[in-house]
Amino acid sequence: WLFGKTLPKVEGEFTANHIFITIFMIVCWLGLLTFFVVDGSIKIGQCFEIPGPLLGITLLAVGSSLPDCISSVIVARQMKI
């Protein structure tokens, strides 16, 4: 919901004319969401007494493997194997 209010529609003249504003907003959202993920993982690590480097490596592994997993599930559901 919030993305729809702060980013322009995909189609239309506004997007073509204001591409730099769109890119800037995407970078802002990426930075904000990254802050919340890192802050949340640090707080979880402190609660369970997990060392920071272990948490970072785990977050990196999940972040790099999850998109592949999701795309494999989508392809498997479409039965395009």
Side-chain angles (χ1 to χ4, degrees):
W1 178 80
L2 200 53
F3 293 136
K5 298 294 181 186
T6 57
L7 297 173
K9 302 290 183 200
V10 177
E11 299 174 354
E13 192 173 313
F14 180 80
T15 304
N17 292 336
H18 298 89
I19 191 71
F20 294 112
I21 295 171
T22 305
I23 292 172
F24 177 74
M25 288 305 298
I26 290 171
V27 170
C28 288
W29 273 114
L30 184 62
L32 185 68
L33 293 174
T34 302
F35 171 77
F36 284 126
V37 167
V38 171
D39 187 52
S41 64
I42 288 172
K43 289 179 182 179
I44 290 172
Q46 289 173 346
C47 288
F48 293 109
E49 297 178 1
I50 301 172
L54 178 64
L55 220 78
I57 291 173
T58 304
L59 192 62
L60 180 67
V62 169
S64 63
S65 300
L66 198 60
D68 292 334
C69 179
I70 291 172
S71 63
S72 297
V73 168
I74 290 171
V75 170
R77 287 188 178 177
Q78 293 174 353
M79 295 186 181
K80 293 184 178 180
I81 298 176

